[in-house]
């Protein structure tokens, strides 16, 4: 990938994945459909199988077994995601993040006209 920014490091992959996961969780509808709840759970289970870092995927499996995905509301899902990230933080010696601040950190997206925001929109497959 020379000339394209170099090889992707595990730290970069991790940071980008957390951006995606926390953004998804804070944008998740407060009243999700059954399908959306299933999709969110399945997404996390898929990561335990194909996240491209074996140690991380195995680690995520253990973390999720101890604390299965909570997807019955947007606030529950984003708090759960914060807890999961904190479990990973603890195990690799990083400081814990205060989960009450998760909306402040991840709750807004920089895109015009609310086009990124699932909240309040009916789910269309
Ligand atoms: P990151 O941990 O990537 O966090 C990015 C930003 O998120 C932080 O700057 C902070 O603002 C915010 N943040 C931090 N904690 C929280 C939280 N709890 N809730 C909300 N926001 C928060 N690395 C390993 O070495 N071993 C592993 O086993 C491992 N497993 C991983 C499993 C998964 C599913 C993922 C996505 C990543 C994993 N990583 C693992 C990578 C690791 O978590 C970090 O992404 C990487 O070390 C880079 O860390 P960072 O300090 O840049 O911040």
């Amino acid at each position: 990938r020379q000339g394209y920014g170099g090889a992707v490091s595990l730290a970069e992959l991790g940071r980008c994945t957390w951006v995606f996961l926390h953004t998804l969780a804070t944008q998740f509808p407060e009243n999700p459909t059954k399908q959306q709840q299933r999709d969110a759970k399945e997404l996390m289970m898929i990561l335990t199988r194909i996240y491209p870092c074996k140690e991380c995927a195995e680690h995520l499996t253990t973390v999720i077994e101890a604390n299965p995905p909570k997807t019955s509301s947007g606030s529950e899902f984003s708090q759960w995601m914060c807890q999961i990230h904190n479990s990973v933080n603890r195990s690799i010696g990083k400081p814990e993040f205060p989960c009450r601040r998760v909306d402040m950190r991840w709750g807004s997206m920089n895109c015009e006209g609310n086009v990124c925001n699932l909240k309040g929109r009916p789910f269309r497959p």
Side-chain angles (χ1 to χ4, degrees), residues 37-92:
Q37 294 179 50
R38 277 195 297 272
D39 286 346
K41 284 183 183 146
E42 190 57 18
L43 173 65
M44 298 311 299
M45 298 321 290
I46 288 169
L47 286 181
T48 69
R49 299 192 288 272
I50 60 168
Y51 188 77
C53 153
K54 187 166 177 278
E55 179 196 302
C56 310
E58 285 172 1
H59 186 202
L60 184 65
T61 306
T62 314
V63 169
I64 287 184
E65 271 168 11
N67 186 3
K70 297 193 181 91
T71 61
S72 58
S73 71
S75 35
E76 195 182 65
F77 189 42
S78 61
Q79 285 299 304
W80 176 84
M81 196 66 78
C82 183
Q83 291 162 17
I84 290 298
H85 193 166
N86 273 339
S87 299
V88 173
N89 287 344
R90 274 194 298 277
S91 73
I92 58 177

Side-chain angles (χ1 to χ4, degrees), residues 92-107:
I92 58 177
K94 291 197 184 254
E96 289 196 33
F97 183 91
C99 288
R100 66 181 183 283
R101 301 234 175 97
V102 85
D103 270 346
M104 221 179 294
R105 172 70 178 86
W106 298 108

